[in-house]
Amino acid sequence: MWKYKCPICNEQIIEQYDLKTVETHIGATHDCPNCNGLLMITDDLSCSDFGAELVKRYADMGVTVSNEQATGTFIEF
């Protein structure tokens, strides 16, 4: 089983993935099953907020975007 704390909703998550399988997906994105937040699997098999990572990377390039703009997870009315 794979256990991690979601950095978005702060819930402890337990999923039925084998750790060897998760290791092959380091750097990939993953949706939190609790809040549906977009996460990125890190080297230590925890997860980071993928949107926040993108915002930081864009800022390093001199571009200002919101988390929603960076991940394309906003709703237009």
Side-chain angles (χ1 to χ4, degrees):
M1 286 200 268
W2 178 35
K3 299 176 187 179
Y4 61 91
K5 184 175 183 178
C6 175
I8 299 172
C9 67
N10 291 316
E11 289 294 320
Q12 187 70 26
I13 308 294
I14 299 172
E15 296 198 56
Q16 298 298 318
Y17 292 110
D18 177 278
L19 292 181
K20 294 284 185 195
T21 301
V22 177
E23 285 177 345
T24 65
H25 291 87
I26 291 171
T29 58
H30 180 72
D31 294 327
C32 172
N34 184 58
C35 70
N36 207 33
L38 188 58
L39 309 174
M40 184 171 71
I41 302 170
T42 61
D43 292 339
D44 64 359
L45 303 184
S46 65
C47 289
S48 64
D49 179 342
F50 184 65
E53 292 286 329
L54 285 177
V55 168
K56 282 191 264 183
R57 292 178 188 190
Y58 280 123
D60 290 345
M61 294 185 288
V63 179
T64 302
V65 296
S66 69
N67 190 313
E68 294 80 13
Q69 289 169 319
T71 59
T73 57
F74 55 93
I75 299 171
E76 293 184 30
F77 292 97

